[in-house]
Amino acid sequence: MELINESINVTQTAASGKTQTLAEGDVIVPDIKPDILKLLQVDAVCSVTDKEVEDGAVSLCGVVDLKILYIPDNESDRIKSIITSFDFADRIENRKILPSSTAMVNSAVERVEFSMINSRKLRVKAVVGFEYEIVNTADMEVTVDIADCDEMEMEKETISVQNCVDLSEHMFTVSDNVEIPTGQGSVRELLKLDASISDTEYKAMSGKVIAKGEVNISALYNNTDGEIEYCEAQLPFTEIFEGALISEESCCDIDYAIREGEVTLEEDSDGDLRIINASMEVTAQLKASETVEMQMVSDCYRPFAKTTVEKQKIRLEEVISKPVMQNTVRETIETGAKLPRVLGVYNVITKPVVKKAQLEGGRLLCEGYIEACVLYLSDSAENPVYSIKKDIPFSYMMDAEMKENGDDNVQARVKAEIKHTGYNLNAAGEVEVRCILLLSANIVKSRDLELISAVESEEQPCGCGRGIVICFVQPGDTLWSIAKRYSVPKRAIMEFNDMQEESLKTGARLLIPGK
């Protein structure tokens, strides 16, 4: 006999969770910069630059980019900036991590602490948080039929698995010229430039994924009169990520991380510095999968023969529901009487945080908040650049379309994304923030499967036949288990007992035909 197998590539989560590390050091004011009179802001963004997977661990290396705004001790400028960076390293350990594992890691600076040592030196500490998923992939051979043995009795069951078709990381550059709008002053010094990605979408096709989005640029600068101004721009991108096994049916999860590359100033046709050449380095982590349903042979035997079935156990994660919800979250952020008045909003940085994901009555409760940081120009000489931070709570109930509740093997993995952030300054001087929040979840059920790896059967010796046996159905018995126990065709038992269906009642009497 021959086992007919189908091969699928499945992913198993070796390790997942959150961790933190500390990046710290001293920042020395460059010789060409004036002394610090007062610190205004210390912003920090981070990115993972290298991941090394080894047996039992993943080593991470990265960089924290610091943007420091301060008031100088001279009167020639209202504000100056220092751009610098710190390196960091961390290590994730778990015995299930293999050298062949793939590490999907997202990083963010969770907190920055700073203190002035003197007018030319300050101490900075940045807490870097990681959210990680370490994935193992394996080819799984599933027996779907048995050939060359017409007598073989087979029991089949339908399984639904996630077939991983691509797990890769891609890097690309988004660059363009950002022109200072008409009516604003030319650039004397670029103070800081912030970048974020929004409006992302993708389309899976045969052998590739087309990914689209925008890099949002916000630039803060001193003009030729020493005044502070800002401008914004959107740099669209379209990238093609190739994968031989990707098809139109593929479902993709793409995580983007952005790091500033080279930023230079250029003159326009009049010789004024009014062009900012921005080049951004972007990393995209792509996970593409397809839901595959197949009928597998879960058990088998050859009637009136001795059958040996070898099986191997495998832990399988089955996605039983994929709810998605998109909502617009609105919030008005007030500056208050004690804070400087808003002259213009420079940038609004938003970040979603999921605090709770709980299954309730076939639905998924998702709660969390959006961290909103409003950076603005103020009317205060002491604080010409100011920021307000506010947590905007959200709570949504998503239709999960599943029956499992209270099952320890069922977990909800929720991803929250800000697809777009909009804002405007109203007449009362308040900042009205609008966020398009996308919540997508994979509700995963873990189950143990026994896959058939080999089947052997041999004829029973002559004289080992038996007569009719009377069997009383025990709790948990099925027609299949009884037929296999006595090595008799299931159809033969049904015909011998004049049964129209396979259902059994505990205590019922069955006559088992002999050979």
Side-chain angles (χ1 to χ4, degrees), residues 385-396:
V385 177
Y386 209 80
S387 64
I388 312 172
K389 293 184 178 181
K390 185 173 183 179
D391 292 342
I392 306 172
F394 64 81
S395 178
Y396 296 106

Side-chain angles (χ1 to χ4, degrees), residues 360-394:
E360 296 181 358
R363 306 178 77 191
L364 176 62
L365 173 64
C366 186
E367 294 181 347
Y369 59 91
I370 297 173
E371 293 180 353
C373 180
V374 178
L375 306 175
Y376 67 91
L377 304 186
S378 75
D379 62 352
S380 169
E382 295 183 355
N383 295 283
V385 177
Y386 209 80
S387 64
I388 312 172
K389 293 184 178 181
K390 185 173 183 179
D391 292 342
I392 306 172
F394 64 81

Side-chain angles (χ1 to χ4, degrees), residues 222-263:
N222 280 326
N223 64 21
T224 51
D225 295 326
E227 298 296 321
I228 305 170
E229 294 195 75
Y230 65 93
C231 66
E232 299 175 320
Q234 289 75 43
L235 312 183
F237 65 84
T238 300
E239 294 293 324
I240 298 177
F241 307 140
E242 295 184 351
L245 301 179
I246 296 173
S247 72
E248 295 180 356
E249 303 299 322
S250 298
C251 180
C252 300
D253 188 6
I254 307 176
D255 287 325
Y256 293 97
I258 187 170
R259 189 190 176 195
E260 293 177 19
E262 185 178 0
V263 180

Side-chain angles (χ1 to χ4, degrees), residues 386-455:
Y386 209 80
S387 64
I388 312 172
K389 293 184 178 181
K390 185 173 183 179
D391 292 342
I392 306 172
F394 64 81
S395 178
Y396 296 106
M397 190 70 79
M398 306 169 68
D399 291 327
E401 298 180 357
M402 42 84 68
K403 298 180 180 179
E404 287 83 352
N405 282 300
D407 189 338
D408 293 337
N409 292 323
V410 177
Q411 295 182 338
R413 300 171 183 169
V414 179
K415 179 181 179 181
E417 298 178 81
I418 301 296
K419 302 296 290 184
H420 183 79
T421 299
Y423 53 88
N424 66 279
L425 185 64
N426 63 25
E430 302 166 332
V431 182
E432 298 175 348
V433 179
R434 302 176 308 281
C435 300
I436 298 178
L437 174 66
L438 177 67
L439 297 172
S440 55
N442 281 349
I443 300 178
V444 179
K445 182 176 183 179
S446 299
R447 56 184 297 198
D448 293 319
L449 278 183
E450 290 187 334
L451 301 181
I452 294 176
S453 56
V455 178

Side-chain angles (χ1 to χ4, degrees), residues 85-156:
S85 62
F86 291 157
D87 294 332
F88 66 81
D90 199 12
R91 186 176 173 87
I92 301 168
E93 296 184 347
N94 190 292
R95 60 181 179 84
K96 294 183 180 180
I97 299 175
L98 305 174
S100 59
S101 300
T102 301
M104 314 290 281
V105 182
N106 294 317
S107 63
V109 175
E110 297 181 351
R111 188 173 71 254
V112 178
E113 299 175 357
F114 56 91
S115 60
M116 284 187 57
I117 298 175
N118 55 52
S119 62
R120 300 201 65 80
K121 185 177 181 180
L122 63 150
R123 182 75 172 170
V124 179
K125 296 181 180 180
V127 178
V128 180
F130 304 98
E131 188 169 355
Y132 63 89
E133 182 182 12
I134 315 299
V135 177
N136 293 334
T137 60
D139 287 327
M140 188 172 71
E141 296 292 329
V142 180
T143 300
V144 296
D145 205 352
I146 299 176
D148 302 330
C149 188
D150 296 335
E151 300 176 352
M152 186 66 69
E153 292 277 310
M154 291 178 286
E155 184 177 46
K156 294 187 176 183

Side-chain angles (χ1 to χ4, degrees), residues 188-442:
R188 187 176 75 180
E189 179 187 11
L190 184 63
L191 297 173
K192 65 179 297 191
L193 187 142
D194 294 319
S196 63
I197 292 181
S198 67
D199 296 324
T200 57
E201 60 179 322
Y202 76 87
K203 182 176 182 180
M205 304 176 69
S206 178
K208 61 186 176 182
V209 173
I210 301 176
K212 296 183 179 182
E214 286 185 348
V215 176
N216 303 302
I217 300 294
S218 297
L220 187 71
Y221 67 94
N222 280 326
N223 64 21
T224 51
D225 295 326
E227 298 296 321
I228 305 170
E229 294 195 75
Y230 65 93
C231 66
E232 299 175 320
Q234 289 75 43
L235 312 183
F237 65 84
T238 300
E239 294 293 324
I240 298 177
F241 307 140
E242 295 184 351
L245 301 179
I246 296 173
S247 72
E248 295 180 356
E249 303 299 322
S250 298
C251 180
C252 300
D253 188 6
I254 307 176
D255 287 325
Y256 293 97
I258 187 170
R259 189 190 176 195
E260 293 177 19
E262 185 178 0
V263 180
T264 58
L265 296 175
E266 296 182 6
E267 296 179 349
D268 62 6
S269 58
D270 296 327
D272 297 324
L273 289 177
R274 300 186 62 84
I275 299 174
I276 301 173
N277 185 281
S279 179
M280 304 291 131
E281 297 176 359
V282 182
T283 300
Q285 297 179 112
L286 170 64
K287 184 178 182 181
S289 60
E290 296 176 0
T291 301
V292 177
E293 285 193 355
M294 61 174 61
Q295 274 202 326
M296 62 170 278
V297 179
S298 57
D299 203 1
C300 64
Y301 67 93
R302 183 181 174 192
F304 309 114
K306 182 181 179 182
T307 305
T308 303
V309 180
E310 294 183 9
K311 297 182 178 182
Q312 62 177 15
K313 290 185 178 180
I314 186 171
R315 187 79 169 178
L316 184 69
E317 292 183 346
E318 177 184 358
V319 178
I320 57 178
S321 182
K322 302 183 72 171
V324 177
M325 175 178 284
Q326 182 170 291
N327 290 280
T328 300
V329 181
R330 293 181 172 86
E331 183 74 8
T332 299
I333 300 178
E334 303 175 358
T335 56
K338 296 182 179 180
L339 298 180
R341 189 168 64 89
V342 180
L343 295 181
V345 177
Y346 159 64
N347 195 12
V348 176
I349 301 171
T350 54
K351 174 188 173 184
V353 178
V354 177
K355 299 293 291 183
K356 183 179 182 180
Q358 182 175 313
L359 293 166
E360 296 181 358
R363 306 178 77 191
L364 176 62
L365 173 64
C366 186
E367 294 181 347
Y369 59 91
I370 297 173
E371 293 180 353
C373 180
V374 178
L375 306 175
Y376 67 91
L377 304 186
S378 75
D379 62 352
S380 169
E382 295 183 355
N383 295 283
V385 177
Y386 209 80
S387 64
I388 312 172
K389 293 184 178 181
K390 185 173 183 179
D391 292 342
I392 306 172
F394 64 81
S395 178
Y396 296 106
M397 190 70 79
M398 306 169 68
D399 291 327
E401 298 180 357
M402 42 84 68
K403 298 180 180 179
E404 287 83 352
N405 282 300
D407 189 338
D408 293 337
N409 292 323
V410 177
Q411 295 182 338
R413 300 171 183 169
V414 179
K415 179 181 179 181
E417 298 178 81
I418 301 296
K419 302 296 290 184
H420 183 79
T421 299
Y423 53 88
N424 66 279
L425 185 64
N426 63 25
E430 302 166 332
V431 182
E432 298 175 348
V433 179
R434 302 176 308 281
C435 300
I436 298 178
L437 174 66
L438 177 67
L439 297 172
S440 55
N442 281 349

